[in-house]
Amino acid sequence: MEFETIYKTYWERIFRLCMGFVNNYDIAQDLAQETFIIVWQQLETFRNESGIGTWIFRIASNNCLRQIEKERRFLKSDLPNHLTEEKQASIEPQIQFLYKCIAELAETDRIIISLELEDVKQAEIAKIVGLSEANVRVKIYRIKEKLTQKFKENGQQ
């Protein structure tokens, strides 16, 4: 598969996956770009042992997890007090709330629900996260229950 085709096919899905991890538009864009740089650099080494989408989602997930690890090492209190986080105004409030809720989940749950929202097959999700398909199904059900509860508590429909 040609890189340009891969990029056009997967860009939006990878960006949304990154948003689910970091809940920050600019950082998600950077992570998606970094993912495609890695894909471009490593495309010749892709061995077709899994689907190309599975491979790309695994790269994106690993990239996001590295970003989260970096953030943990950086103390937020080191930032100047007068800085405020700017939100992307064009994203609907319910979608923003969904990203916020997903970002609060455990790392594995974030990966699983973000991939599920991208219509990645559960068998592929299982390969990406290294769990059984049955375990992934149970986790998806429980994650959806948690998210539904958060929406109810927040008065969202």
Side-chain angles (χ1 to χ4, degrees), residues 28-151:
Q29 274 197 311
D30 290 346
L31 288 168
Q33 283 293 1
E34 288 172 17
T35 297
F36 282 101
I37 289 170
I38 294 168
V39 169
W40 180 71
Q41 291 171 336
Q42 301 295 318
L43 191 56
E44 290 179 7
T45 67
F46 178 65
R47 298 183 304 253
N48 288 316
E49 292 174 1
S50 63
I52 189 93
T54 303
W55 181 66
I56 294 169
F57 280 117
R58 183 179 294 264
I59 291 170
S61 297
N62 288 338
N63 206 16
C64 290
L65 289 173
R66 277 192 299 278
Q67 175 66 28
I68 291 166
E69 191 59 36
K70 283 182 204 172
E71 287 178 8
R72 282 191 184 138
R73 283 187 252 136
F74 178 72
L75 296 174
K76 304 277 188 214
S77 61
D78 292 344
L79 288 174
N81 292 334
H82 66 280
L83 293 179
T84 59
E85 182 178 339
E86 298 197 19
K87 295 283 183 189
Q88 183 71 11
S90 64
I91 299 176
E92 292 180 32
Q94 285 185 318
I95 301 294
Q96 281 183 342
F97 184 71
L98 176 62
Y99 283 136
K100 178 184 175 292
C101 292
I102 290 173
E104 293 171 357
L105 296 171
E107 290 172 4
T108 303
D109 290 353
R110 264 185 269 170
I111 296 170
I112 290 170
I113 198 63
S114 295
L115 293 170
E116 173 72 8
L117 290 171
E118 290 303 320
D119 293 325
V120 175
K121 293 181 176 138
Q122 291 179 355
E124 288 184 46
I125 295 172
K127 287 178 189 174
I128 291 168
V129 296
L131 297 173
S132 71
E133 230 178 300
N135 196 342
V136 167
R137 274 193 298 279
V138 169
K139 284 189 167 287
I140 288 170
Y141 176 81
R142 290 180 180 161
I143 294 165
K144 286 181 178 178
E145 288 291 311
K146 281 183 198 175
L147 293 174
T148 300
Q149 186 61 37
K150 287 185 180 204
F151 267 74

Side-chain angles (χ1 to χ4, degrees), residues 5 8 13 16 19 22 24 31 62 80 85 91 151:
T5 305
K8 288 178 181 178
R13 295 172 74 191
R16 289 190 301 260
M19 271 298 287
V22 297
N24 179 300
L31 288 168
N62 288 338
E85 182 178 339
I91 299 176
F151 267 74

